[in-house]
Amino acid sequence: MDPELRDAARDLLIRYGQGETERLFVSSKGTVVRDDEGREILDFTSGQMCATLGHSHPAIVKAIRESSEDAIHLFSGMIPEQVVRLAKKLGEWLPAPLKRSMFVNTGSESNEIALRMAKMITGGYEVIALGGSWHGVTGQSAAASFASERRGYGPKVPGVSVIPEPYSYRCPIRHCRDKCDMSCMKVGLDLFDMASEGAPAAVIAEPILSAGGVIVPPDGYFQTLQKEAKSRGMMLIFDEAQTAFGRIGEKFAATGLGVTPDIMSVSKTLGGGLPLAATITTDEIEEQAHSRGFSYYTSHVSDPLPAAAGLAVLETIEKENLLKRAKELGAHLRGSLDALQQRYEVIGEIRGQGLLLGIDLVKDRESREPHLDLGDLTTRRCMELGLSMNIKRRPERGAVWRIAPPLTVTVDELDRGTDILDQALRESLDELSRRAS
Ligand SMILES: Cc1ncc(COP(=O)(O)O)c(C=O)c1O
């Protein structure tokens, strides 16, 4: 441990909402990250949900090494072979008629592109997003995000409406309990219609609202949403930043749902830890956009190196059969968490799919009041005990752990993580009752 480096981290870096810098991190491999004291910490967040193959998977390392020998970066108008190879492989995975891709860096960007395209083609500017959504931090993506902090940054892009999210555990319109009947969508769309200035463009949604608390919409939700979007002349955009490429045991959430959006954005899980994102659409939409002069020209569009990593990600998922693995390991983890729920009244609900699970912590199961203090305390204790967990906490949307280990995690690592969670919960509850007495 280098105390000077720790001090420098505190003195020289801008804080961007990441919490206190108590330790620095030096390396990561597989499911394990190491801090500057040599402590090994199980990573149940897959980095920032990006390292689905585990950290520094040999296939990614190889692709980066080889590609960096060939080309790291080119003039944005030059299309590298690596990009075309990735587009071809992606084309094999995509549900028809989705086919054409463009490759950029972040999820925020891929949603900017999707929204720009939808606006250009429809000629409208009105966008509907779901409560609890997170589509990124750049202009239009931030305007369509409702799980992130919106205060203090000035006005957002106009034209965005929010409809209540299908969160049956804590129904935003106080109507359902445990089973969503989609009244939330109806109410939201009625309000949208009332406020619309007649310039509809797009509906954007995450198939599972992850940052909003791992909310899984009910069966039929997206079929209905797609119908409603179409009837208003709006394009349906799926933001599959977290759900694509195996995390939930499917190639895409769209394939599992049987709903193919007009435009899909993918990001986090495509790059194996490198910044890589894509906006994907059909021949017809691409042609319309192109004919209207669509452009999105950035320094790192179509960069070869991350594209090579993306190709390695898709090939490795196929080779290691990771879709199946996500389902099997997800079921194993779910079983262990269900057993914990039997013992802890504070675990109100466990939800999710594959290896994207959420644990909703409550003060009691009847009122379902979010247990924010317990969430904070236990997350901290988990880290001390060697488990990195991510808590999503908002008074209106709960204290929800998002558990998303790499798809390459072992059963032993999953069990160790659950044991740590058990110990941390027990100790944190003891601590809270000590404080209260
Ligand atoms: C569903 C979803 N979309 C978009 C984004 C934004 O991606 P990025 O942080 O890469 O810009 C995120 C990030 O958390 C996300 O979860």
Side-chain angles (χ1 to χ4, degrees), residues 48-50 105-111 133-138 141 145 205-211 239-243 265 267-268 276-277 392 402:
Q48 191 58 39
M49 307 292 291
C50 303
N105 305 123
T106 65
S108 305
E109 259 195 286
S110 59
N111 288 322
S133 56
W134 184 298
H135 299 295
V137 295
T138 57
S141 303
S145 294
E206 295 161 76
I208 293 178
L209 289 100
S210 181
D239 177 354
E240 294 231 25
Q242 299 198 16
T243 47
S265 61
S267 48
K268 291 175 180 289
L276 178 63
K392 300 287 162 200
R402 184 171 66 190

Side-chain angles (χ1 to χ4, degrees), residues 167 169-170 344-351 358-365 368-379 389-394 397-401 421 425 428-429:
Y167 187 11
Y169 190 68
R170 236 176 239 108
Y344 291 100
E345 178 74 14
V346 290
I347 297 183
E349 187 179 60
I350 300 168
R351 47 184 183 257
I359 301 182
D360 202 317
L361 294 171
V362 293
K363 292 202 170 153
D364 69 81
R365 289 190 189 169
R368 302 181 175 181
E369 188 186 337
H371 210 327
L372 304 173
D373 293 344
L374 180 68
D376 293 343
L377 206 60
T378 314
T379 306
M389 299 262 289
N390 187 237
I391 183 100
K392 300 287 162 200
R393 63 188 303 287
R394 299 275 291 203
R397 212 170 292 109
V400 182
W401 276 315
L421 185 54
L425 258 177
S428 303
L429 282 165

Side-chain angles (χ1 to χ4, degrees), residues 181-220:
D181 68 3
M182 299 193 229
S183 295
C184 48
M185 189 199 306
K186 180 152 193 346
V187 168
L189 292 175
D190 284 351
L191 292 173
F192 168 77
D193 291 339
M194 209 184 294
S196 172
E197 283 147 9
V203 178
I204 183 166
E206 295 161 76
I208 293 178
L209 289 100
S210 181
V214 193
I215 297 166
V216 185
D219 288 348

